[in-house]
Amino acid sequence: MLRMLQSRGANEIRRRAFATSASAVEEPVTRKGSCTVPVAFTKFDAKEDAAPSPPVVLLHGLLGNQMSYRSLVKKPDFAPKRDIYTLDMRNHGLSPHTGEMDLHALSRDVSLFLDNEGIEAASIVGNNIGGKVGMILALEQSDRVSDLVVVDGSPLASDKKLEFVSKIVQVIHDVEIENYTQKK
C-alpha cells in the first residue's frame, strides 16, 4: 500500500492510494460471505477548535471518484468543523478493481473502511449511486450512519438506467482504438 502525506494549509490531507498492478493491490477480504476491498480515500482534518462530531464520508456517483468533490475542498476558506473523508469506491479511481460490482458490495466496502479507520458512525453524503450505497448502509447497519444525505438519487430501482450505462460502457470497451489514426 502506498501512503502519501501532503500539508495543505491548516488541513492535513492523508491519501492512501492503491497501485493498479495485481502484485501491489492488497488482497480482497472475504466478509459476510462476499468480497470486500480496501478503498482509497483522502482525509481532511477538522480544524483544531471544532467540537467532536461524527466524521463526514462523501460517496461519489457512478463513473465518478473522490475528485468529484475537488471544487468543495479546494476553496481557500475551506476549514471543516468535522473530519471529512472522500472515498474512491471499488472499480473507481485509485481503489482496487474487482469483478464483483453491486450496491451491497459497495456498502460492505464502506463498512470495512469505517472499521479500518476506527469510525463507529459517520454522516454519509452520497451522490447518485453513492446515495444508494448510503441508503443500504443505513438500512443494514443503522448504528454506523449518524446522518444520511442523498443527492440526486432515489430509493427506487433503476435497472433500466444501469442497463443503459452498461451498454454505453460495453460500446466504449468494444472500440478498437488501433484502427483509428490521429488527425493531422
Side-chain angles (χ1 to χ4, degrees):
M1 176 170 42
L2 170 68
R3 293 183 189 212
M4 299 169 11
L5 277 173
Q6 297 176 336
S7 179
R8 181 170 169 184
N11 296 320
E12 195 65 28
I13 302 173
R14 183 175 8 142
R15 172 171 279 165
R16 292 185 186 172
F18 297 90
T20 55
S21 68
S23 61
V25 174
E26 287 187 12
E27 289 294 316
V29 178
T30 300
R31 184 170 168 192
K32 295 185 181 177
S34 284
C35 174
T36 56
V37 299
V39 296
F41 68 96
T42 302
K43 179 184 180 190
F44 299 88
D45 289 329
K47 60 184 182 179
E48 292 179 22
D49 58 345
S53 298
V56 175
V57 175
L58 301 174
L59 303 176
H60 59 77
L62 185 63
L63 305 179
N65 60 38
Q66 64 177 301
M67 296 303 288
S68 300
Y69 299 101
R70 177 180 47 231
S71 62
L72 169 70
V73 297
K74 284 204 172 230
K75 291 183 182 257
D77 59 345
F78 180 68
K81 295 182 179 180
R82 303 183 191 194
D83 288 343
I84 297 177
Y85 296 87
T86 57
L87 275 58
D88 278 338
M89 292 191 282
R90 80 168 55 198
N91 298 339
H92 294 81
L94 299 172
S95 286
H97 290 238
T98 68
E100 183 183 8
M101 178 68 176
D102 61 58
L103 296 173
H104 291 278
L106 296 172
S107 175
R108 286 190 306 273
D109 294 346
V110 173
S111 181
L112 177 66
F113 162 77
L114 296 173
D115 290 343
N116 289 345
E117 291 302 302
I119 299 170
E120 290 182 29
S123 296
I124 306 292
V125 178
N127 176 41
N128 194 283
I129 201 163
K132 289 182 182 284
V133 170
M135 287 184 247
I136 289 172
L137 185 63
L139 288 170
E140 293 181 348
Q141 299 182 49
S142 60
D143 57 321
R144 304 303 302 264
V145 180
S146 58
D147 305 286
L148 176 63
V149 177
V150 177
V151 181
D152 190 27
S154 166
L156 301 177
S158 58
D159 292 339
K160 291 190 189 271
K161 287 182 190 176
L162 290 176
E163 183 179 316
F164 178 71
V165 170
S166 176
K167 286 179 183 178
I168 290 173
V169 170
Q170 187 61 48
V171 167
I172 292 170
H173 181 268
D174 290 345
V175 171
E176 296 177 12
I177 294 180
E178 59 274 0
N179 293 338
Y180 296 91
T181 60
Q182 278 187 333
K183 184 176 179 179
K184 295 182 182 180

